[in-house]
Amino acid sequence: MTKPLHIIKWQGKEYRIPFDVNLTLDPQDKLIDVPNRFTGQTASLPWFAVAVFDLIMGAEQLEDYNTMQNGLSWFRKYFPNEYMTILD
């Protein structure tokens, strides 16, 4: 993985974001519900994880599988339960 472009500190943990993603959403402690596009199940994510999720979905559409796999690996590391709900 490349050097993280962003390091986010949220709820006492440090998250290393390896992508140049838009992190301009309101960084409050509120969570955003993100649905699994196939099952409809939802996972609650902070704004920066939603940005990575959006990047994964865009990379898939563009057939950029390297970026997509990097994003999936990031989710498995930092949000394993949410990964299983919305991305697996």
Side-chain angles (χ1 to χ4, degrees), residues 3-4 6-8 12-13 17-18 25-26 30 37 42-43 46 48 55-56 62 64 66 78-80 82 85 87:
K3 180 181 176 187
H6 301 284
I7 297 175
I8 302 290
K13 294 183 183 177
I17 314 275
L25 291 174
D26 186 5
K30 67 181 177 180
R37 61 187 170 161
T42 61
F48 60 91
L55 185 125
I56 293 168
L62 295 172
D64 180 356
N66 185 49
Y78 291 110
F79 293 94
E82 293 82 353
T85 302
L87 290 166

Side-chain angles (χ1 to χ4, degrees), residues 29-73:
D29 283 336
K30 67 181 177 180
L31 298 173
I32 301 165
D33 289 335
V34 176
N36 178 306
R37 61 187 170 161
F38 301 113
T39 67
Q41 289 182 291
T42 61
S44 297
L45 299 170
W47 82 100
F48 60 91
V50 173
V52 174
F53 175 83
D54 289 344
L55 185 125
I56 293 168
M57 294 295 106
E60 182 182 38
Q61 292 296 312
L62 295 172
E63 298 181 1
D64 180 356
Y65 298 115
N66 185 49
T67 298
M68 187 180 92
Q69 286 303 316
N70 284 339
L72 293 172
S73 293

